[in-house]
Amino acid sequence: MALKDLSPRQMVQITAAWLDPERERPRLASLKRCAPLIDDIEAAHDGILKSHRRQKKANDELTGIQQKQVVFDQIHDRKARGAHAVLTGFADLADDPEDAAIYLDLRDQLFADGLKFISASYSDEAGEVKLARDRLTPESKAALKALPTPGGNLLKAVQAWFAAGDELGKLDAQRVHLEAQDQPGATESRGGQLRARNRWIKVVRTVLQMLELEEADTETTRRLLAPLQREAGKAERRRSGGKETDAADGAPPADGGAGEPAIDEEAPVAGVD
């Protein structure tokens, strides 16, 4: 199989074994052609770790924003629907047409286009809150405050709706900013992972070539190749099962991009095809 079929977690498993002083590092260091490559192995190993650490951090931040948006959107929609329903209900219950007109006027100040905005985007919901807040007069606020609701009054409920809409606007701005940072992200982050993978593959191929030239004893060769052969076997079974190589790791396959050619099939070296 090709080294490119290895997932990032498999890559770091292999080079971790080679770099561990308690495992295979002493064997690498004892080989005159392989010893100078230890620094390159460390750099390639760290490159895989860092590229995925950066991506995970961005993904975690975006997930956190999205989770908060869901929470505030539920508050926003619930409070808006409730305020609309209460004002409509008070108008229906009022025996005096003038009182009914006051409640309907309050409702129309807050909800100039009804509740259509509830199904809009988060940024649109935040914008509608700004418009609704601007339409309210001091007299309207006093009238809302006079209407009782569970736990307070209607003005308090409307203010909770406004506050949730404001939070949705802030969170959406954070999301846009984060995605803009990552937009060369989608390209740059993906390109960074690809470059790290290609660097790792080049280094490991060089180690295998030098190991073959060393004509090391059987035990040394067996121990150095064992981590690679073990992970190669897993990747081969995964590929035979029809699963995509790096789907679980969220990493792109090393198939070219970011201005750097991908590493393709390598020639058979020391027991790895």
Side-chain angles (χ1 to χ4, degrees), residues 206-251:
T206 302
V207 171
L208 296 177
Q209 290 164 356
M210 292 302 102
L211 183 60
E212 189 174 32
L213 291 174
E214 286 278 359
E215 297 181 351
D217 63 78
T218 302
E219 176 64 10
T220 296
T221 301
R222 184 187 69 77
R223 289 291 300 265
L224 289 174
L225 289 180
L228 180 56
Q229 290 171 335
R230 180 178 60 249
E231 299 305 326
K234 292 178 185 177
E236 183 65 31
R237 289 190 294 274
R238 182 172 64 238
R239 185 172 61 173
S240 298
K243 297 180 183 179
E244 292 188 12
T245 300
D246 289 325
D249 299 278

Side-chain angles (χ1 to χ4, degrees), residues 108-112 128 130-137 140:
D108 292 343
Q109 280 186 39
L110 286 169
F111 306 99
E128 182 60 32
K130 289 180 172 60
L131 294 175
R133 181 187 283 119
D134 188 65
R135 289 192 293 266
L136 280 184
T137 65
S140 300

Side-chain angles (χ1 to χ4, degrees), residues 1-194:
M1 62 155 280
L3 292 176
K4 68 178 183 179
D5 289 330
L6 295 168
S7 70
R9 67 167 59 96
Q10 290 180 301
M11 289 177 164
V12 295
Q13 282 283 84
I14 293 162
T15 43
W18 287 356
L19 295 171
D20 188 344
E22 302 298 321
R23 297 174 69 187
E24 313 312 332
R25 187 177 185 127
R27 288 182 172 80
L28 273 177
S30 70
L31 302 174
K32 66 178 182 180
R33 290 182 177 86
C34 293
L37 296 173
I38 290 177
D39 287 347
D40 292 313
I41 296 169
E42 287 179 333
H45 181 84
D46 290 344
I48 295 291
L49 294 175
K50 288 176 182 176
S51 68
H52 284 268
R53 194 180 304 139
R54 285 193 296 269
Q55 186 59 44
K56 182 179 184 304
K57 182 175 183 292
N59 289 344
D60 288 348
E61 288 178 4
L62 186 58
T63 298
I65 289 172
Q66 291 169 335
Q67 289 173 343
K68 290 178 182 177
Q69 284 177 318
V70 170
V71 172
F72 282 108
D73 186 51
Q74 290 172 343
I75 297 171
H76 168 278
D77 292 358
R78 183 166 54 82
K79 296 295 183 179
R81 283 194 305 266
H84 187 278
V86 165
L87 288 168
T88 302
F90 269 102
D92 286 340
L93 292 171
D95 294 324
D96 186 333
E98 291 186 2
D99 288 340
I102 290 172
Y103 298 136
L104 291 177
D105 185 55
L106 277 172
R107 186 193 66 184
D108 292 343
Q109 280 186 39
L110 286 169
F111 306 99
D113 295 314
L115 291 171
K116 290 187 295 185
F117 65 89
I118 283 180
S119 59
S121 67
Y122 293 146
S123 61
D124 285 346
E125 288 180 343
E128 182 60 32
V129 157
K130 289 180 172 60
L131 294 175
R133 181 187 283 119
D134 188 65
R135 289 192 293 266
L136 280 184
T137 65
E139 294 75 19
S140 300
K141 292 178 183 178
L144 290 170
K145 192 172 183 179
L147 297 177
T149 63
N153 56 67
L154 195 53
L155 179 60
K156 183 178 177 181
V158 166
Q159 289 171 336
W161 161 37
F162 288 170
D166 290 339
E167 285 299 321
L168 286 174
K170 292 175 186 176
L171 289 167
D172 199 58
Q174 291 174 20
R175 178 191 60 78
V176 170
H177 178 68
L178 182 61
E179 289 178 347
Q181 281 184 324
D182 217 32
Q183 248 353 313
T187 299
E188 182 58 34
S189 169
R190 183 181 174 87
Q193 291 182 36
L194 182 60

